[in-house]
Amino acid sequence: MSAEDAARAELHRLRSSIDNLDAALIHLLAERFKCTETVGRLKARAGMPPADPAREAVQIARLRSMAESSGLDPHFAEKILNVIIGEVIRNHEQFAEEREG
């Protein structure tokens, strides 16, 4: 087997692992959003605000620490979490509007 053939085989193996990890990430996000949907509907029924800045700050600090200990750039992890939190808050605001409407 040539060096190029060996590299192509390794590339295929690595890309297969990446594809599996991407699928796992999507499934995990779907499960996370199912949970946050339940939280949002509960908050709307109880008249609670859609956002919880104190909880968000704790989560960001916790996940930055986890990222750092895992060898992931904490700044990158925070950016990803902020995208997720932003979407969750938008969903919670929608649930609150539905309740009011």
Side-chain angles (χ1 to χ4, degrees), residues 4-101:
E4 184 175 335
D5 289 340
R8 286 185 190 280
E10 180 68 2
L11 185 59
H12 176 73
R13 186 189 67 75
L14 291 167
R15 285 181 173 165
S16 180
S17 291
I18 290 167
D19 292 349
N20 289 338
L21 290 166
D22 287 345
L25 285 170
I26 295 301
H27 290 291
L28 287 170
L29 283 170
E31 286 301 312
R32 188 186 196 287
F33 275 92
K34 286 177 190 173
C35 289
T36 61
E37 179 178 343
T38 302
V39 167
R41 292 188 186 284
L42 175 65
K43 286 173 143 185
R45 281 194 307 273
M48 298 169 72
D52 185 344
R55 161 85 174 156
E56 294 158 23
V58 168
Q59 284 297 93
I60 288 169
R62 184 176 75 85
L63 292 179
R64 281 184 67 93
S65 176
M66 287 173 50
E68 195 167 327
S69 67
S70 297
L72 181 65
D73 178 1
H75 179 70
F76 172 73
E78 183 174 347
K79 283 174 36 178
I80 296 299
L81 184 60
N82 282 329
V83 168
I84 293 168
I85 289 171
E87 187 63 25
V88 167
I89 290 170
R90 278 188 289 282
N91 289 340
H92 289 191
E93 288 169 344
Q94 183 180 7
F95 301 142
E97 288 171 9
E98 289 170 3
R99 174 110 172 115
E100 294 170 4

